[in-house]
Amino acid sequence: MIQKHRIIDKKAGLTLISITLISLAIWRNILMPIPQIMPITPIRQSYISTSELGGRLRIWGYDESSSGYEVLWSAVSVYYDAIAMGDVDNDGKNEVLGTKTRKATDGSYYEIFFDVYNEADSGRWERIKSIGQMEGVKEDQKYRDHEIVVADVDGEPGNEVIMKTHHWLVVYQYSEVEGDYKKLSSTKLFIDEKMVMLDSVTVGDVDRDGVTEILVSANEEGIENKAYLLIFQDFTLKEFVQVNISAHLGTYSANSGLSLPLSLHNSLHIGDLDGDGYLEICSTGYKKESDTLYKLLQRGAVVTCVGDLYKVYLFVWSHIGELILESQIYETFYWPLPSLVFDIGEIDPNNEGEEIAYSDLEPYSHQLSLCYFEESSLSEIWRTALDGFAYTNLYIADSDGDGDNEIVISGMELRSEAPTGTFYLEIFDEQGKSLWKRVNGEIGELDVTYMAVG
């Protein structure tokens, strides 16, 4: 339909426009008040917590003025086998948790507890001792392979604490009424009537059913190349899916009793590697081949030897436990095995899924690598040379609170004049560039045996 328009004179038109604008302004201010512009909330400060040989726990924060990290708080004479960060009492702040072991007065068993450190105010934490205030986990020996995770696994508001010891898996929950941590569930695992040793634990809704699963890697005690991936369906720990694999998960020998001088943790992680919304499951591990021939150079002569060959892998399963990748990283005749630590997270925005960052200590080669998963294989994005360190922990996390993830790696420096090692902490960006590094910064800085970011 064609509309007809009537032309008015210029003066009358301007008058009409002015009246209209004034009327709109009055109407907006009275009937539609202009909304107040809210200040932009800065991204929350992230913290790095390090548990160090010699009994020191420290919390590090990013200092924007120096583009580096500084110690915000420290505690001495505290010895933890594992630490974690997370909001366990539903107060909106992340706490620091550390597992510790107490020997029974009659020496018949060891009991594992965890301490909790609350952030009292900015840059200051206070410890709430849990020993004597909570029901611990009993083991027959003093093992060093504890792990602790903070996550919501019961579907109710607030997080739980999931603790793994050598033989036990336990879920704790904070009670606001009692101000203490109570056991929700626990299990000591037996498969085919044989007790298994637990290697690592992680949590997540891998199958997108709305229920958080608890995943555990385990090995049969005393037997090489017989391992299990266990997917517990919920926090009750009553039902689980069992996936067998002819390998050893983690980096410990089945016969070592986990008494290696350097504890390695977090060998099990989950992430959406292919970008389909379901979470893949990834673990380090090795396959042992006995009585293998190899050549060794001794005093200028090549000598043929027979020994155990260890092939070190990254294993990847689908969310239903189907093994979809065995990626061999290196092989060696040396024992203890060189460290292999890794994490899964979003680093490269050009990749559809999440990436895997890992560092290895293959003999004569120290590397940090970033890979992506495609068509049942790992493809390398970049690789950067590292210094001569032993790596104990690696995280993909937003360590400086800017909204982008970095790679945080810790461990100890290997030097002949310092056989016990020394403090090592380094931050890398998404392209493998070192943003910040601290090595033996002051007297008394020893190995980082465990690290947490939160």
Side-chain angles (χ1 to χ4, degrees):
M1 181 179 67
I2 299 175
Q3 292 184 340
K4 296 182 178 180
H5 298 274
R6 182 165 55 91
I7 299 175
I8 60 176
D9 64 87
K10 183 177 181 181
K11 184 175 180 180
L14 292 174
T15 302
L16 180 61
I17 292 172
S18 299
I19 294 172
T20 302
L21 291 175
I22 293 172
S23 300
L24 285 172
I26 294 173
W27 180 77
R28 282 177 59 86
N29 280 280
I30 295 175
L31 299 180
M32 294 181 62
I34 298 175
Q36 298 294 319
I37 299 176
M38 300 300 293
I40 297 175
T41 303
I43 298 176
R44 183 185 64 82
Q45 168 72 64
S46 298
Y47 300 114
I48 301 173
S49 181
T50 55
S51 178
E52 303 160 29
L53 189 68
R56 181 155 57 173
L57 176 70
R58 290 193 287 183
I59 297 177
W60 305 72
Y62 180 71
D63 182 6
E64 187 175 359
S65 62
S66 64
S67 298
Y69 297 77
E70 61 178 358
V71 177
L72 302 177
W73 176 85
S74 64
V76 296
S77 299
V78 290
Y79 299 87
Y80 297 117
D81 293 314
I83 59 175
M85 299 189 74
D87 183 7
V88 294
D89 56 9
N90 207 25
D91 65 351
K93 297 181 180 180
N94 280 354
E95 285 74 43
V96 179
L97 294 80
T99 66
K100 60 194 309 182
T101 304
R102 181 180 64 180
K103 188 176 183 179
T105 54
D106 62 359
S108 60
Y109 63 88
Y110 292 83
E111 196 162 9
I112 301 95
F113 305 85
F114 57 86
D115 284 350
V116 180
Y117 293 81
N118 291 331
E119 185 179 2
D121 50 48
S122 181
R124 186 175 68 87
W125 279 257
E126 60 183 9
R127 179 172 61 174
I128 300 176
K129 284 191 174 181
S130 295
I131 284 188
Q133 301 173 356
M134 64 179 292
E135 183 183 358
V137 178
K138 295 180 180 180
E139 290 281 5
D140 60 337
Q141 298 181 36
K142 187 175 182 179
Y143 300 103
R144 300 177 59 192
D145 56 335
H146 309 152
E147 284 187 5
I148 190 166
V149 177
V150 178
D152 179 11
V153 294
D154 70 346
E156 300 295 331
N159 290 323
E160 284 71 48
V161 179
I162 303 94
M163 186 168 71
K164 178 206 74 71
T165 68
H166 192 62
H167 294 115
W168 286 91
L169 183 64
V170 187
V171 178
Y172 289 91
Q173 187 178 62
Y174 178 72
S175 171
E176 294 185 3
V177 176
E178 301 182 32
D180 198 3
Y181 296 86
K182 302 295 183 182
K183 280 185 181 180
L184 285 183
S185 57
S186 64
T187 184
K188 192 172 187 178
L189 286 172
F190 291 83
I191 297 178
D192 297 330
E193 299 182 349
K194 295 181 180 179
M195 186 166 54
V196 297
M197 60 180 186
L198 310 185
D199 180 76
S200 191
V201 61
T202 189
V203 301
D205 184 6
V206 295
D207 54 7
R208 299 196 308 179
D209 65 349
V211 179
T212 301
E213 287 81 34
I214 300 176
L215 301 95
V216 180
S217 55
N219 297 285
E220 189 163 315
E221 278 190 289
I223 300 179
E224 295 281 11
N225 299 336
K226 192 169 185 179
Y228 311 95
L229 172 67
L230 309 174
I231 307 174
F232 288 88
Q233 300 306 293
D234 57 41
F235 74 97
T236 62
L237 306 179
K238 293 181 179 179
E239 297 181 2
F240 63 87
V241 174
Q242 175 184 324
V243 180
N244 299 348
I245 182 170
S246 297
H248 186 95
L249 296 181
T251 54
Y252 299 110
S253 167
N255 300 301
S256 68
L258 303 189
S259 59
L260 299 180
L262 183 62
S263 295
L264 301 178
H265 303 272
N266 297 334
S267 61
L268 181 69
H269 293 279
I270 56 175
D272 185 6
L273 295 177
D274 54 11
D276 67 350
Y278 292 94
L279 300 180
E280 283 71 46
I281 307 161
C282 188
S283 174
T284 60
Y286 66 83
K287 295 183 179 182
K288 178 182 176 181
E289 297 180 6
S290 301
D291 301 327
T292 304
L293 295 176
Y294 67 98
K295 297 184 183 300
L296 187 67
L297 185 63
Q298 291 183 347
R299 299 179 181 179
V302 177
V303 180
T304 301
C305 305
V306 178
D308 296 329
L309 175 64
Y310 297 92
K311 295 183 177 180
V312 179
Y313 291 85
L314 282 174
F315 298 106
V316 179
W317 295 268
S318 70
H319 67 279
I320 60 174
E322 176 190 4
L323 184 64
I324 55 179
L325 176 65
E326 293 184 358
S327 181
Q328 182 176 328
I329 306 302
Y330 62 86
E331 61 183 36
T332 179
F333 290 93
Y334 296 99
W335 183 264
L337 290 181
S339 60
L340 176 62
V341 293
F342 79 103
D343 197 9
I344 302 174
E346 182 60 54
I347 288 286
D348 187 349
N350 299 317
N351 182 39
E352 184 176 359
E354 295 181 314
E355 293 78 47
I356 294 178
Y358 72 87
S359 69
D360 62 78
L361 199 61
E362 184 179 358
Y364 314 112
S365 175
H366 308 83
Q367 306 283 337
L368 173 63
S369 302
L370 185 69
C371 301
Y372 68 93
F373 180 79
E374 185 179 46
E375 297 180 354
S376 298
S377 65
L378 284 183
S379 298
E380 191 173 280
I381 300 174
W382 52 254
R383 174 184 291 252
T384 185
L386 293 174
D387 295 322
F389 300 101
Y391 311 105
T392 55
N393 289 266
L394 186 151
Y395 278 95
I396 296 177
D398 182 10
S399 62
D400 55 11
D402 67 350
D404 296 322
N405 285 335
E406 293 80 39
I407 299 174
V408 186
I409 186 170
S410 66
M412 68 177 188
E413 183 184 13
L414 297 177
R415 299 182 301 162
S416 59
E417 65 271 24
T420 59
T422 188
F423 184 92
Y424 167 69
L425 181 63
E426 191 165 9
I427 315 294
F428 293 87
D429 68 8
E430 73 281 358
Q431 297 177 344
K433 176 185 176 183
S434 178
L435 300 175
W436 179 86
K437 180 168 70 172
R438 184 181 179 96
V439 180
N440 196 25
E442 63 183 46
I443 296 176
E445 286 192 336
L446 299 176
D447 310 356
V448 180
T449 57
Y450 212 108
M451 176 180 65
V453 182

